[in-house]
């Protein structure tokens, strides 16, 4: 069984730039969720993708967008980066409709620094 | 509003002492509650969920709907329990998003 992987591990960008973060879901999973974890805080839900469509969104502006591909991998795109976007971005996968649907498996995260 | 509160940022205990990590939640329906743990240099992982009613690594947590609490307990702490612990809530449905607390760092001293 392959776990959730994320790339890159670390990223440094400047204000106003755009960034793309990538996630490969755990083998057998079909749903991907993205979370933002600021320093000293718990993870905050950004959005979730299922069947290549957004399936729920948290309180994040439209400049946060995503994609899910037929192989269930996913991308998180952030446009017009702001200093407050500096955080650890976590991807989590789960199996929609499975008996343990609510269990999410997390990746190691991508640390984004915006200067 | 759905919210999870973990009042302690840091809990320091000695090895062998009992541990209780507090978690309170606010939610109008029937939530599902979880404890996630993050050991040093490792990813966030599920420790236990209330519907399983399991004991994992000696930890237990009971959902108290009257007090809206889901405290994590262990009778005798071990040094390897030192980690960051997050309480989380999911309301299930079409989106199984998790709402996390701010976390409690448990430090078990030798």
């Amino acid at each position: 069984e392959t776990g959730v992987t994320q790339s890159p591990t670390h990223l440094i960008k400047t204000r106003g730039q755009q960034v793309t973060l990538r996630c490969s879901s755990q083998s057998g999973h079909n749903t991907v969720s993205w979370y933002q974890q600021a320093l000293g805080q718990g993870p905050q839900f950004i959005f979730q993708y299922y069947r290549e469509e957004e399936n729920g969104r948290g309180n994040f502006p439209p400049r946060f967008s995503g994609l899910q591909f037929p192989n269930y991998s996913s991308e998180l795109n952030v446009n017009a980066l702001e200093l407050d976007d500096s955080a650890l971005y976590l991807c989590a996968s789960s199996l929609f409709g499975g008996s343990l649907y609510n269990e999410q498996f997390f990746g190691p995260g991508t640390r984004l620094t915006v200067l | 509003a759905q919210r999870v509160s973990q009042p302690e940022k840091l809990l320091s205990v000695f090895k062998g002492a009992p541990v209780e990590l507090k978690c309170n939640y606010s939610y109008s329906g029937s939530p599902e509650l979880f404890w996630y743990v993050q050991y040093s240099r490792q990813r966030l992982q599920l420790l236990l969920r209330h519907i399983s009613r399991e004991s994992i690594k000696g930890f237990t947590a009971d959902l108290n709907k009257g007090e809206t609490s889901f405290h994590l307990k262990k009778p005798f702490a071990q040094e390897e329990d030192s980690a960051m612990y997050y309480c989380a809530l999911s309301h299930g449905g079409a989106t199984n998003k998790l709402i996390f607390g701010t976390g409690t760092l448990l430090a078990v001293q030798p």
Side-chain angles (χ1 to χ4, degrees), chain B residues 49-95:
Chain B
R49 52 194 302 183
H50 88 269
I51 61 170
S52 300
R53 303 186 70 82
E54 293 175 300
S55 172
I56 306 292
K57 298 184 179 183
F59 285 97
T60 58
D62 290 319
L63 181 60
N64 185 323
K65 291 185 178 180
E67 296 182 0
T68 60
S69 68
F70 188 56
H71 303 327
L72 183 67
K73 299 177 183 179
K74 185 170 183 176
F76 307 104
Q78 303 298 314
E79 289 181 67
E80 55 265 31
D81 297 328
S82 296
M84 195 73 180
Y85 291 80
Y86 293 95
C87 182
L89 172 161
S90 170
H91 62 76
T95 300

Side-chain angles (χ1 to χ4, degrees), chain A residues 7-12 109-113:
Chain A
S7 62
T9 306
H10 298 90
L11 206 49
I12 299 175
T110 293
R111 172 74 60 189
L112 173 64
T113 302

Side-chain angles (χ1 to χ4, degrees), chain A residues 31-33 45 47-50 53-56 101, chain B residues 94-96:
Chain A
T31 303
V32 173
S33 302
F45 177 74
F47 43 54
Q48 182 180 87
Y49 277 82
Y50 170 64
E53 290 194 2
E54 191 179 284
N55 181 42
Y101 172 53
Chain B
T95 300
N96 64 337

Side-chain angles (χ1 to χ4, degrees), chain A residues 5-71:
Chain A
T5 60
Q6 292 186 244
S7 62
T9 306
H10 298 90
L11 206 49
I12 299 175
K13 293 284 188 179
T14 56
R15 225 168 18 166
Q17 284 189 310
Q18 178 266 341
V19 70
T20 297
L21 310 182
R22 294 179 175 82
C23 170
S24 290
S25 60
Q26 181 165 309
S27 172
H29 286 178
N30 56 15
T31 303
V32 173
S33 302
W34 285 92
Y35 293 82
Q36 181 195 65
Q37 186 173 18
L39 204 58
Q41 302 296 317
Q44 263 197 294
F45 177 74
I46 303 174
F47 43 54
Q48 182 180 87
Y49 277 82
Y50 170 64
R51 288 186 175 175
E52 302 177 48
E53 290 194 2
E54 191 179 284
N55 181 42
R57 188 179 184 94
N59 189 25
F60 281 81
R63 58 190 186 82
F64 284 78
S65 63
L67 285 173
Q68 186 182 32
F69 301 99
N71 66 354

Side-chain angles (χ1 to χ4, degrees), chain A residues 76-93:
Chain A
L76 164 65
N77 299 291
V78 187
N79 293 322
L81 283 167
E82 300 177 1
L83 296 179
D84 284 350
D85 295 334
S86 295
L88 181 69
Y89 288 85
L90 298 171
C91 169
S93 73

Side-chain angles (χ1 to χ4, degrees), chain B residues 19-40:
Chain B
V19 169
E20 182 178 50
L21 301 172
K22 291 184 167 49
C23 172
N24 288 90
Y25 67 91
S26 61
Y27 183 71
S28 56
S30 295
E32 189 166 354
L33 274 296
F34 304 83
W35 277 98
Y36 277 81
V37 61
Q38 188 166 28
Y39 300 101
S40 178

